[in-house]
Amino acid sequence: MENFVMYNPTNLQFGKGAIGGLSAGISQLGKKVLLVYGKGSIQKNGIYYLVINQLKKAGCEVFEYGGIRPNPIMEDVDAAAALCRKHEITAIVAVGGGSVIDSAKYISVTVPVRHSVWDFLENKAKPKSGLPLITVLTVSATGSEMNGFAVIQNNKTRQKLGYFCPFFFPRYSFLDPEFTYSVPKNYTAYGLVDTMSHCLEGYFGKGESPLTDKFTLSVMREVMESGPKLLENLQDYDLRARMMFASTSALNGLVIAGKVGGDWGAHSIGHTLSVLYDVPHGATLSVVYPAWFKHLLDRLYKKMSFIGENLFNTTNVAETIYEFEAFFKKIGCPVRLADMNIGKDKKEEIIKNLMVNKANGNNFILTEEDLNAIVEMMM
Ligand code: NZQ
Ligand code: ZN
């Protein structure tokens, strides 16, 4: 087992009515608040008004930055940071999914500096501080509500890159499963895939940590048990709650404890698909994983057998790969590029962008030949 530090300062408040804790949480962090949100779902389902009520109750002056898009972009971060500087904002409240929360994380560390957020991604600068951040989660998927990661896209360089920073951990996160009732079936399913994928990234990370692997498999089993039922009943509280807890648990440090870190090769290939074709994050992963498994089979053999035995009751690795693909199909997610209307003619463009994004895993190193073969298998 590798040495590890377990550090997670987020105060997570989970359950029906959890939003009621927001006014007390924000009161400790200042009175001038930037509310960050996406393209309108929170106005439609009313979460916006519940949040505003809490902020008013705490006596906050509220400024807003809405319109964050799925696969968020650096321009929004830079513009929102400028708004924060102008109004001397003291805290940020992000209401949404991974795209909104990740943008808010980057906004928080960009406010104190005078350059673009992208300088951090290019390692030209390092965050030195961040405005305190509170999140209100509205879709179960990324785990961003309880971790120090954030991903952002640069459409000019066609890169989508991730970054870890200790200032990114939200101070508070409010998770009410009812807030996810309005997430449509397809995005609910992408969240299942993303949660499974975070487990897989941890599981295939460098190092051996048997107890961690058992936690990881439990989270995956939870997704496979409750996920398909949830897709048949999108407003079932217990199923929404089970998915919400599973998705947070898949990327809050639990599934990499005792390992050097996760692998993240499949995710970095997925980011190329998002930056080129603007496809949802979870949908990229259900396409990448079957191909990644098949191509790396010899290298993954031992670990795949263990997963197969525990999740699918088989030691046959080919069968295990088949079962994963069947699960992704069963929940209505794409498993080939063609399912996302990305044609074979795009192969060269994809390979080129994988090089630009330096797509690779930390444990299972991918050469250009590997990437070529994986893309071929995604076709
Ligand atoms: O923009 P709005 O109108 O809010 O609609 C959103 C968006 O269209 C909608 N939505 C969210 N909550 C809803 C809802 N619709 C109805 N009812 C609700 N309650 O869902 C759509 C997707 O939202 P988004 O935030 O993009 O989804 P997700 O949470 O999957 O986040 C994806 C982003 O997170 C990054 C991904 O790369 C991608 O950019 N990731 C972040 C990670 C992290 N910080 O730890 C790790 C992940 O691996 C991932 O890379
Ligand atoms: Zn992910």
Side-chain angles (χ1 to χ4, degrees):
M1 199 188 300
E2 304 293 322
N3 293 355
F4 67 95
V5 173
M6 210 171 228
Y7 171 75
N8 199 313
T10 302
N11 179 323
L12 190 98
Q13 302 193 13
F14 189 104
K16 270 184 201 172
I19 194 68
L22 174 58
S23 61
I26 194 70
S27 298
Q28 300 162 21
L29 302 176
K31 292 280 179 209
K32 281 193 159 190
V33 172
L34 183 75
L35 183 64
V36 184
Y37 53 88
K39 289 193 165 293
S41 68
I42 65 164
Q43 277 96 346
K44 273 189 216 133
N45 57 28
I47 295 170
Y48 172 86
Y49 305 98
L50 298 174
V51 170
I52 291 285
N53 282 346
Q54 286 291 314
L55 297 178
K56 292 231 167 96
K57 193 172 156 195
C60 295
E61 189 182 355
V62 182
F63 298 81
E64 298 189 17
Y65 194 97
I68 299 291
R69 34 166 285 185
N71 298 319
I73 52 172
M74 56 170 275
E75 284 82 357
D76 277 322
V77 170
D78 287 339
L83 191 73
C84 288
R85 284 184 215 111
K86 184 174 165 198
H87 297 292
E88 299 179 330
I89 295 294
T90 55
I92 302 175
V93 174
V95 187
S99 298
V100 168
I101 297 174
D102 286 7
S103 300
K105 287 177 173 179
Y106 280 116
I107 295 164
S108 85
V109 296
T110 304
V111 175
V113 298
R114 293 277 154 194
H115 56 73
S116 165
V117 62
W118 201 250
D119 286 2
F120 295 132
L121 280 303
E122 283 186 330
N123 288 320
K124 288 184 187 159
K126 266 193 152 199
K128 293 199 173 60
S129 61
L131 290 185
L133 168 68
I134 289 183
T135 83
V136 177
L137 188 67
T138 66
V139 50
S140 307
T142 65
S144 188
E145 64 278 7
M146 202 182 186
N147 70 37
F149 296 106
V151 188
I152 195 82
Q153 193 162 303
N154 181 334
N155 284 339
K156 289 194 196 94
T157 61
R158 298 184 114 186
Q159 286 171 294
K160 183 172 183 184
L161 299 176
Y163 197 90
F164 173 84
C165 169
F167 304 124
F168 283 167
F169 282 99
R171 299 287 179 91
Y172 291 89
S173 281
F174 298 97
L175 276 64
D176 184 338
E178 289 184 341
F179 282 19
T180 63
Y181 279 177
S182 54
V183 178
K185 199 167 182 175
N186 58 351
Y187 271 98
T188 303
Y190 303 149
L192 305 184
V193 176
D194 200 19
T195 304
M196 296 281 282
S197 303
H198 297 156
C199 291
L200 290 167
E201 298 291 10
Y203 181 77
F204 288 109
K206 194 180 256 176
E208 292 299 329
S209 185
L211 179 58
T212 294
D213 283 350
K214 286 173 192 137
F215 288 144
T216 308
L217 288 169
S218 299
V219 178
M220 293 176 85
R221 208 172 287 121
E222 179 69 347
V223 175
M224 296 181 77
E225 264 173 40
S226 62
K229 290 183 205 152
L230 170 60
L231 293 174
E232 295 310 313
N233 194 353
L234 293 173
Q235 304 210 344
D236 182 302
Y237 180 83
D238 286 325
L239 294 170
R240 283 289 189 192
R242 286 173 69 176
M243 260 319 298
M244 202 170 215
F245 188 31
S247 59
T248 301
S249 305
L251 199 52
N252 65 357
L254 184 70
V255 312
I256 52 163
K259 305 206 173 190
V260 177
D263 182 68
W264 299 108
H267 262 72
S268 62
I269 298 172
H271 290 337
T272 270
L273 300 178
S274 286
V275 83
L276 288 179
Y277 311 114
D278 202 21
V279 281
H281 175 63
T284 68
L285 295 165
S286 54
V287 172
V288 175
Y289 261 111
W292 187 86
F293 286 146
K294 283 176 204 161
H295 177 66
L296 295 178
L297 186 57
D298 291 345
R299 291 186 250 169
L300 303 176
Y301 202 86
K302 201 171 141 215
K303 297 225 73 171
M304 280 303 271
S305 307
F306 187 72
I307 276 201
E309 252 180 293
N310 281 277
L311 285 188
F312 305 115
N313 211 15
T314 176
T315 46
N316 182 322
V317 175
E319 232 173 84
T320 299
I321 297 174
Y322 172 83
E323 291 288 352
F324 270 112
E325 198 169 314
F327 177 74
F328 295 150
K329 278 192 202 160
K330 176 170 140 186
I331 60 172
C333 288
V335 292
R336 294 290 181 278
L337 289 172
D339 301 336
M340 299 194 289
N341 297 319
I342 301 169
K344 291 194 172 173
D345 55 316
K346 301 290 190 222
K347 184 175 172 188
E348 211 174 300
E349 180 176 60
I350 295 172
I351 300 289
K352 216 169 128 195
N353 189 270
L354 288 168
M355 296 297 137
V356 171
N357 268 295
K358 299 191 176 72
N360 216 328
N362 296 319
N363 192 18
F364 294 95
I365 302 300
L366 303 170
T367 63
E368 191 170 344
E369 273 159 30
D370 290 323
L371 291 169
N372 257 288
I374 291 170
V375 173
E376 189 64 44
M377 283 176 178
M378 292 179 345
M379 296 285 172

